[in-house]
Amino acid sequence: MLPASPAMPWIPRGLRVSGFALALLAMLWAVLVVSAPLDSMQGVIQKVLYVHVPCAFSAYAGFIGTALCSALYLWSNDERFDRLAAASAEVGVVFCTLVILTGPIWAKGTW
């Protein structure tokens, strides 16, 4: 946790609230994936798509964020945009790696 700053005392509380919300959403997502009905053609391997497709959307979002923040950095020369572009590129690479890993898992069972 970040120490409380006199200028922004809401940061630690906000991180706790957002962390709790993220954990709650992750548990809800897991319950929904487990309780989803099986596909008649693909069977249980179809549930890999519940991970694969959101990871692809997140990878795209990370790379779009990289492009936008990079353009803003070039326009304004503000270092914050450069750091945000680098961070969103890392997020995009992580999710793109997950897409590359989950795609063949689904394809092997389907084809």
Side-chain angles (χ1 to χ4, degrees):
M1 294 296 294
L2 297 172
S5 169
M8 295 180 277
W10 51 270
I11 288 180
R13 183 169 188 260
L15 285 177
R16 283 194 302 269
V17 170
S18 63
F20 177 73
L22 182 63
L24 188 64
L25 285 173
M27 287 188 292
L28 177 65
W29 176 80
V31 167
L32 290 174
V33 168
V34 169
S35 64
L38 295 179
D39 186 61
S40 62
M41 297 293 286
Q42 297 180 22
V44 74
I45 198 69
Q46 179 262 342
K47 292 188 178 195
V48 171
L49 292 178
Y50 294 131
V51 175
H52 181 74
V53 175
C55 285
F57 286 143
S58 299
Y60 284 134
F63 293 133
I64 288 170
T66 301
L68 290 175
C69 290
S70 296
L72 286 171
Y73 170 70
L74 291 173
W75 179 64
S76 68
N77 205 19
D78 187 355
E79 287 292 322
R80 291 179 296 176
F81 290 124
D82 191 36
R83 289 191 301 267
L84 191 56
S88 60
E90 291 175 7
V91 169
V93 167
V94 166
F95 281 110
C96 195
T97 302
L98 290 173
V99 168
I100 291 171
L101 291 175
T102 58
I105 293 171
W106 171 78
K108 173 83 171 164
T110 304
W111 296 336

